Each structure stands twice: as structure tokens, then as C-alpha cells.
Amino acid sequence: IYRFYRRYLPPAEAVQYTTADYNGGEFSSRNAAFQEQVALLSGRALVLDGDLLAYQGDLPAERVSNTEVAVIGLLSGYAAPRIRQDLLLEKTEAFSHTRTARLVCARFQRQTGRECSVATVPLGATNPVARVKLGRDYTPANYARATVRRWEENLARFGPG
């Protein structure tokens, strides 16, 4: 995942999003940025948690998630089953290259005049084990901040390379 983020972002940001994904789920930072774009375009309040689909355990549920509903509404000329197929790739790098992701990004750029963010730290996704071990919730944002801080300290101490 680091290699994916590093293609688009400076090292510290790539470390931040990679570690947030380690804590929140594969590509959850990229998916949260996608959700942020969809929320802005659709006017729907979405939880930017990095889950594009609803899940039952580790498997995508048949029911449609709020993100999926919003994407279907945005891309009304694009078949809902195709959108679902693209969203099923959310835990892979391939999702970034799907027609759904490209259409949402193009519309976002057109309507806002801004570039599409590669990633944003997902909200929620607290780690229940951390509450037991540390006595507090540990979110992807907490985890990413701590890891980037350690990475910067090590970089200063040992240098690049």
C-alpha cells in the first residue's frame, strides 16, 4: 500500500496513509477521500470510514450502503450493477482505475475546480483492543500520527536511506 501512496504523495504523507490503512483497513484512506468527494457532490452526509460497501463480518453484504446509494445517484446514467462491481474492488489498488472512480473524480474536478485527493485519514474505525490495552480508543488518525512522528524521529536520527 505504501508504494501506491508514494506514487502520488511525499514520503511522510505516504507513511501517514499507509499506517492509517494498517489500522483502519486496506485502502481505507483512499476510499475515505472517494467518500468525501461523493458526499460533496451528492449532498449526502456520509461517514468517511473508508468502507464503500456494507459488510457482514468480512464479506460485503447484499444490502446497499449509503456510499453506494450516493454513487448510484451521482452516476445515474451508469448501470448500478457495474457500480457494485467496481465498489467490490475497494480493498485493492484496482479500484482507483475503475470507471466509477474515474467518473466521480472527473465530476468532482468539473464541479469544484479542485484536484481529487488521493487519500484522507478515515474517521471512526476505532480499535477495540486498544481500549482494553491503553484505556482509550485508538483510531486510524491516532495511529497514523504516532507512526509518522516515530518515522520522522528515526529519519532525523538515522537519515534517509
Side-chain angles (χ1 to χ4, degrees), residues 7 89 116:
R7 264 184 258 146
L89 297 173
C116 295

Side-chain angles (χ1 to χ4, degrees), residues 17-35:
Y17 296 124
T18 301
T19 56
D21 287 4
Y22 176 78
N23 186 259
E26 288 184 295
F27 292 101
S28 59
S29 297
R30 184 225 27 220
N31 295 346
F34 176 81
Q35 287 175 307

